[in-house]
């Protein structure tokens, strides 16, 4: 599946995106969502590559942004401002002003103080900003602790006990229009049951708010649909049909309400791989190491979360299998992509693909050790 011959002259490491798979994935997500009239905001934080963003905006996705720079990037890449949700627990004033000036769809607000600040900034500009209340529903997403966001102990959103109070206050703020309630329980959620639980909470919350005289036109259930890191080839397109059907089965929308979601990982993860070259093979008494030229600066997920990414030797050969630790060049033991990986005997110069790296890969790269940022190549441009 990889055009290995075409990779020969490209300096490694680099990200490779299978554009055909990307299009099919995006199309699958969109067509399943549209069956129910749902709106999908693509979460730019997963991958903000301009080419991919232009394809998504042209296909009809909205955008979910978490910084002023992401809002600007979304607009530059063709997303209509009215399709942009701007989330984040700490928005700076200049970032809020950018959103107000572009009349974005919603500021997803996380505290009373933030609402007051947006109200004042909108007042100063003589306009009204659309806001969503991000509500922390206290649902356990059963995923990695670093990417669980919907529990009471997390820093995100307005807690249930404050909710009615805060919602009533927003109604009083003359330069805000409350258009949406927003939720996000975590990322890389592979069982659908937490989403069903979330829907139940959303229904209760709508009931509670309704009794307090607060109704909204939109409900945003956030992102989080997981992907199969173990079997990227067999399971290259996530179960969008099951996800949207489950939302539809469990959520009770009021008349005229629109459901929104913010998918990131599930749209881009499988189409991207980090391509790296074997620099050295160290065969020691206890272990064999394959030292590659990509490091945690290019893909930090294994070092940061202990995340698994499937590794393949993509240089054609039929050597027998050996077991290796695949490590990067950086002087930290956490610079390890995986341990005890069975690969065909690997030699200096072989190319390896680290799979399912399209989401939270390129965007989380750093210049630690003054290493250059990895470049991106696309299957339809090679
Ligand atoms: N909406 C909100 C409010 C979010 O916080 C996130 C992700 C998303 C949507 C998109 O979630 P997705 O569909 O991609 O799961 N760097 C970590 C993931 C952090 C996710 C943060 N929030 C990783 O590499 O696993």
């Amino acid at each position: 599946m990889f055009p290995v011959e075409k990779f020969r002259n490209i300096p490694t490491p680099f990200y490779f995106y299978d554009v055909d798979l990307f299009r099919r994935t995006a199309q699958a997500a969109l067509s399943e969502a549209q069956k129910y009239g749902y709106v999908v905001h693509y979460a730019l934080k997963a991958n903000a590559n301009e080419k991919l963003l232009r394809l998504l905006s042209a296909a009809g996705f909205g955008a979910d942004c978490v910084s002023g720079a992401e809002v600007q990037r979304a607009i530059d890449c063709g997303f209509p401002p009215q399709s942009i949700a701007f989330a984040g627990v700490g928005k700076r004033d200049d970032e809020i002003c950018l959103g107000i000036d572009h009349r974005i769809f919603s500021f997803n607000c996380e505290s009373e103080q933030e609402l007051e600040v947006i109200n004042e900034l909108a007042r100063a500009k003589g306009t009204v900003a659309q806001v969503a209340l991000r509500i922390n529903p206290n649902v356990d997403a059963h995923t990695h602790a670093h990417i669980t966001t919907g529990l009471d102990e997390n820093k995100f959103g307005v807690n249930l006990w404050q909710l009615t109070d805060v919602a009533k206050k927003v109604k009083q703020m003359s330069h805000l229009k409350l258009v949406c309630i927003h939720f996000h329980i975590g990322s890389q959620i592979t069982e659908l049951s937490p989403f069903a639980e979330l829907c139940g909470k959303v229904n209760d919350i709508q009931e509670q708010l309704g009794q307090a005289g607060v109704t909204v036109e939109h409900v945003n259930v956030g992102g989080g649909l997981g992907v199969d890191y173990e079997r990227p080839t067999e399971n290259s397109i996530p179960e969008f049909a099951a996800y949207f059907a489950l939302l539809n089965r469990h959520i009770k929308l009021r008349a005229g309400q629109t459901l929104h979601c913010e998918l990131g990982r599930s749209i881009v993860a499988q189409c991207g791989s980090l391509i790296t070259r074997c620099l050295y093979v160290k065969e020691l008494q206890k272990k064999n190491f394959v030292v590659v030229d990509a490091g945690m600066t290019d893909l930090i997920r294994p070092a940061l979360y202990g995340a698994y990414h499937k590794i393949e030797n993509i240089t054609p050969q039929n050597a027998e299998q050996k077991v290796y630790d695949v490590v990067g060049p950086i002087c930290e033991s956490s610079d390890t992509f995986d341990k005890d990986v069975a690969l065909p005997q690997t030699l200096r110069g072989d190319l390896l693909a680290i799979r399912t790296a399209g989401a939270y890969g390129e965007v989380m790269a750093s210049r630690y050790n003054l290493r250059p940022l990895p470049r991106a190549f696309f299957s339809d441009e090679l």
Side-chain angles (χ1 to χ4, degrees):
M1 70 172 278
F2 290 102
V4 180
E5 276 312 311
K6 294 183 179 164
F7 288 170
R8 293 246 172 255
N9 299 322
I10 304 178
T12 46
F14 61 90
Y15 276 90
F16 172 70
Y17 295 103
D18 177 340
V19 176
D20 175 56
L21 176 59
F22 176 70
R23 285 179 195 275
R24 285 187 288 121
T25 308
Q27 215 28 261
L30 215 52
S31 61
E32 292 301 329
Q34 283 169 351
K35 283 186 185 164
Y36 311 100
Y38 298 165
V39 178
V40 186
H41 299 257
Y42 167 69
L44 266 77
K45 63 163 79 73
N47 187 318
N49 187 288
E50 293 188 16
K51 170 166 171 139
L52 302 182
L53 291 182
R54 284 182 203 284
L55 291 171
L56 291 175
S57 65
F61 280 80
D64 165 41
C65 302
V66 286
S67 69
E70 280 193 1
V71 170
Q72 190 61 56
R73 171 75 59 90
I75 292 169
D76 293 345
C77 291
F79 289 93
Q82 294 71 32
S83 80
I84 297 178
F86 182 7
V89 65
K91 304 177 189 76
R92 285 196 317 266
D93 292 17
D94 64 297
E95 296 176 305
I96 295 170
C97 287
L98 177 77
I100 294 177
D101 292 343
H102 284 286
R103 304 189 155 275
I104 61 169
F105 166 65
S106 74
F107 290 92
N108 296 353
C109 296
E110 309 226 5
S111 68
E112 208 175 311
Q113 197 171 26
E114 181 188 347
L115 289 158
E116 283 162 7
V117 168
I118 300 176
N119 188 44
E120 284 315 309
L121 292 171
R123 183 199 307 280
K125 290 176 179 289
T127 183
V128 172
Q130 297 203 149
V131 295
L133 264 190
R134 174 162 181 182
I135 302 166
N136 186 338
N138 198 23
V139 170
D140 190 345
H142 303 293
T143 180
H144 194 287
H146 289 190
I147 50 180
T148 292
T149 45
L151 290 174
D152 271 350
E153 67 236 43
N154 299 128
K155 68 180 174 184
F156 302 98
V158 173
N159 286 330
L160 292 178
W161 55 270
Q162 312 168 293
L163 178 60
T164 313
D165 217 33
V166 175
K168 280 182 177 165
K169 283 189 185 148
V170 182
K171 285 280 192 193
Q172 309 291 316
M173 296 189 195
S174 52
H175 294 267
L176 298 185
K177 182 175 182 209
L178 179 62
V179 294
C180 184
I181 47 175
H182 173 238
F183 305 83
H184 174 75
I185 53 172
S187 197
Q188 182 53 15
I189 300 170
T190 49
E191 310 154 23
L192 289 180
S193 54
F195 293 114
E197 197 187 329
L198 170 63
C199 289
K201 290 277 173 100
V202 173
N203 298 339
D204 295 347
I205 288 166
Q206 290 236 72
E207 194 67 34
Q208 179 188 336
L209 287 174
Q211 279 167 13
V214 179
T215 52
V216 289
E217 294 162 48
H218 305 273
V219 175
N220 183 342
V221 292
L225 181 64
V227 300
D228 192 342
Y229 282 91
E230 316 271 334
R231 295 181 303 149
T233 305
E234 301 82 338
N235 252 340
S236 58
I237 299 185
E239 286 290 334
F240 295 113
Y243 169 71
F244 288 114
L246 175 123
L247 294 180
N248 182 58
R249 209 163 44 247
H250 288 89
I251 208 147
K252 291 187 202 138
L253 294 179
R254 293 171 174 254
Q257 260 181 347
T258 306
L259 187 100
H260 299 244
C261 66
E262 303 170 336
L263 299 179
R265 188 191 314 264
S266 51
I267 310 289
V268 280
Q270 297 293 23
C271 76
S273 297
L274 177 60
I275 308 297
T276 182
R277 199 177 291 276
C278 169
L279 291 174
Y280 305 104
V281 181
K282 281 179 76 170
E283 304 203 340
L284 305 183
Q285 246 172 355
K286 291 201 173 156
K287 282 252 173 196
N288 299 322
F289 292 93
V290 166
V291 183
V292 294
D293 60 4
M296 61 196 275
T297 52
D298 305 295
L299 177 67
I300 200 174
R301 302 192 70 258
L304 190 59
Y305 313 115
Y308 173 75
H309 286 260
K310 186 167 189 184
I311 301 175
E312 291 167 358
N313 183 331
I314 57 171
T315 300
Q317 56 185 295
N318 36 32
E320 64 188 63
Q321 301 259 312
K322 286 188 109 175
V323 175
Y324 301 96
D325 282 12
V326 179
V327 301
I330 292 157
C331 306
E332 306 211 12
S333 299
S334 57
D335 190 29
T336 295
F337 287 110
D338 198 10
K339 294 187 171 170
D340 301 322
V341 192
L343 294 174
Q345 182 172 28
T346 297
L347 306 173
R348 173 173 164 82
D350 282 0
L351 287 174
L352 281 76
I354 305 181
R355 304 288 307 274
T356 320
Y360 306 108
E362 197 185 341
V363 277
M364 291 180 80
S366 80
R367 291 219 48 212
Y368 183 40
N369 290 188
L370 291 186
R371 288 166 56 82
L373 292 174
R375 292 175 59 197
F377 293 87
F378 300 91
S379 56
D380 62 346
E381 290 177 13
L382 287 181

